[in-house]
């Protein structure tokens, strides 16, 4: 059975004065902004907020070593907007089980209009985990002229942080992140009750879907705020959709949420930079410039 398709729509944000605040001060500021989301809007719309536990993980990003290939393009994965990593959670300073993850562009990402404010402010990726992540990356590289001997898709050890040797993957970035998360669900009790009174045969689930359609708000949303071990902090609002037709609604919802929090009120603002972008700017500027030139950063 083919698993449901998941498309991640993310909009990154920085907190005002984040460069001059301590980590604790930034978290207090963010908590106050999230508290505002639980206040109803004029149309009765508000958010139910659930705070998650703080987690820590180490990401190791991989790229292809293609010196032996006729295709001598360096950084073939990242300059094509394919991001392969091994993420391993850390608890009490001990590594726990990890997983392979691949983010890659949807057709809408490749064809998006970068003049559009929503397109520039958010990122849109499909994501695979486990063996499917490695196999998808390998199949993409094959299409770009790479050849892999003795690569057996059925024998991939997903629990290992070491990729199959025949793929000639090498790490190019590694850093630890501490993350705080909040999950937000749309609440519109007044409007749901009114519609149910007008249409008593409708179920509450059907009515809630109609509220979403009318307000054009995607739910649920997730807020993550990350502290990287190389001195950088960044937040993001994330929505997960199943269809490309829902992406625009998710983008608008992320932006509306940030505006209510008092962040990024000008849609023309330059998007905040992700952790990997900042890492490469600091540690591998040549690789960073190649990605910028390719339009993937």
């Amino acid at each position: 059975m083919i698993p449901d398709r998941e498309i991640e729509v993310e909009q990154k944000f920085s907190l005002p004065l984040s460069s001059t605040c301590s980590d604790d001060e930034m978290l207090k500021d963010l908590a106050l902004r999230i508290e505002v989301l639980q206040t109803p809007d004029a149309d009765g719309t508000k958010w139910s907020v659930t705070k998650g536990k703080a987690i820590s993980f180490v990401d190791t990003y991989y790229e292809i070593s293609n010196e032996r290939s006729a295709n001598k393009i360096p950084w073939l994965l990242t300059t094509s907007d394919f991001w392969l990593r091994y993420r391993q959670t850390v608890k009490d300073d001990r590594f726990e089980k990890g997983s392979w993850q691949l983010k890659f562009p949807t057709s809408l990402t490749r064809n998006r209009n970068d003049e559009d404010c929503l397109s520039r402010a958010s990122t849109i990726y499909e994501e695979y985990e486990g063996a499917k992540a490695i196999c998808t990356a390998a199949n993409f590289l094959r299409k770009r002229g790479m050849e892999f001997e003795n690569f057996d898709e059925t024998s991939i050890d997903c629990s290992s942080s070491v990729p199959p040797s025949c793929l000639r993957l090498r790490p190019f970035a590694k850093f630890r992140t501490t993350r705080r998360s909040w999950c937000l669900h749309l609440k519109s009790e007044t409007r749901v009750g009114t519609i149910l009174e007008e249409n008593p045969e409708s179920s509450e689930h059907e009515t809630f879907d109609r509220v979403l359609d009318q307000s054009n708000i995607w739910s649920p949303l997730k807020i993550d705020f990350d502290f990287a071990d190389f001195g950088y902090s960044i937040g993001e609002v994330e929505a997960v959709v199943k269809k490309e037709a829902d992406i625009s609604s998710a983008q608008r919802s992320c932006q509306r949420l940030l505006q209510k929090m008092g962040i990024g009120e000008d849609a023309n603002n330059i998007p905040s930079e992700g952790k990997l972008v900042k890492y490469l700017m600091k540690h591998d500027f040549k690789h960073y410039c190649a990605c910028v030139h390719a339009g993937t950063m």
Side-chain angles (χ1 to χ4, degrees):
M1 184 175 67
I2 299 175
D4 290 337
R5 184 186 191 192
E6 288 195 351
I7 303 172
E8 292 186 355
V9 180
E10 299 175 348
Q11 184 165 341
K12 292 179 171 55
F13 66 89
S14 297
L15 290 175
L17 304 177
S18 60
S19 61
T20 60
C21 294
S22 68
D23 292 355
D24 287 340
E25 289 173 329
M26 279 190 281
L27 287 175
K28 289 179 182 178
D29 180 21
L30 183 58
L32 291 174
R33 294 174 186 273
I34 292 175
E35 188 175 338
V36 172
L37 300 175
Q38 301 177 76
T39 303
D41 287 336
D43 60 1
T45 300
K46 65 178 181 179
W47 294 90
S48 172
V49 180
T50 303
K51 184 179 180 180
K53 294 181 179 180
I55 62 171
S56 184
F57 53 85
V58 173
D59 286 331
T60 305
Y61 285 84
Y62 285 83
E63 183 55 273
I64 185 73
S65 297
N66 59 348
E67 293 82 359
R68 290 183 289 170
S69 170
N71 187 342
K72 294 297 180 66
I73 301 175
W75 308 300
L76 191 54
L77 284 173
T78 52
T79 57
S80 301
D81 216 9
F82 277 66
W83 309 94
L84 180 65
R85 69 189 177 201
Y86 187 79
R87 172 166 291 181
Q88 198 163 16
T89 55
V90 180
K91 187 175 182 180
D92 298 328
D93 289 326
R94 291 184 297 179
F95 286 105
E96 296 192 336
K97 184 179 180 180
S99 64
W100 286 95
Q101 301 174 348
L102 175 70
K103 288 190 175 186
F104 61 99
T106 66
S107 59
L108 185 62
T109 309
R110 290 187 287 268
N111 299 322
R112 72 179 184 177
N113 177 13
D114 283 335
E115 297 300 319
D116 178 69
C117 293
L118 285 174
S119 295
R120 291 191 296 110
S122 58
T123 58
I124 306 164
Y125 289 101
E126 289 195 61
E127 182 170 349
Y128 290 157
E129 290 197 14
K132 192 173 184 179
I134 296 176
C135 292
T136 301
N139 289 333
F140 167 77
L141 292 169
R142 282 169 170 162
K143 293 178 181 178
R144 298 298 297 270
M146 302 297 295
E147 297 181 0
F148 306 117
E149 297 179 0
N150 303 318
F151 177 53
D152 183 2
E153 296 184 358
T154 63
S155 63
I156 297 175
D157 182 5
C158 295
S159 64
S160 173
S161 61
V162 180
S165 59
C166 61
L167 296 182
R168 304 193 299 280
L169 294 168
R170 56 175 178 79
F172 69 88
K174 184 176 182 179
F175 49 86
R176 178 170 173 168
T177 298
T178 300
R179 168 171 291 178
R180 300 293 180 95
S181 299
W182 294 260
C183 188
L184 297 89
H185 292 267
L186 185 66
K187 303 282 284 186
S188 296
E189 294 92 342
T190 303
R191 297 172 66 192
V192 170
T194 301
I195 296 174
L196 279 173
E197 289 178 5
E198 297 173 351
N199 302 273
E201 295 182 359
S202 298
S203 70
E204 187 169 347
H205 177 73
E206 292 171 339
T207 304
F208 191 75
D209 287 341
R210 289 177 58 190
V211 171
L212 290 182
D213 290 339
Q214 292 175 13
S215 61
N216 202 24
I217 301 174
W218 191 264
S219 176
L221 297 176
K222 183 184 178 189
I223 295 177
D224 292 329
F225 201 80
D226 292 346
F227 298 93
D229 63 0
F230 55 91
Y232 184 60
S233 60
I234 188 69
E236 69 180 25
V237 180
E238 176 188 278
V240 178
V241 304
K242 304 292 185 183
K243 301 178 295 183
E244 290 190 357
D246 294 326
I247 289 175
S248 293
S249 175
Q251 288 176 309
R252 285 190 292 269
S253 299
C254 292
Q255 192 169 84
R256 176 174 170 174
L257 193 77
L258 289 174
Q259 288 174 345
K260 187 170 182 179
M261 292 167 62
I263 299 172
E265 299 196 8
D266 180 3
N268 294 312
N269 280 348
I270 299 174
S272 300
E273 293 162 331
K275 300 190 297 292
L276 184 57
V277 174
K278 280 292 188 180
Y279 180 93
L280 289 180
M281 289 176 68
K282 185 176 182 178
H283 296 283
D284 193 345
F285 193 70
K286 188 175 181 180
H287 190 169
Y288 163 76
C289 289
C291 292
V292 171
H293 182 72
T296 61
M297 282 189 173

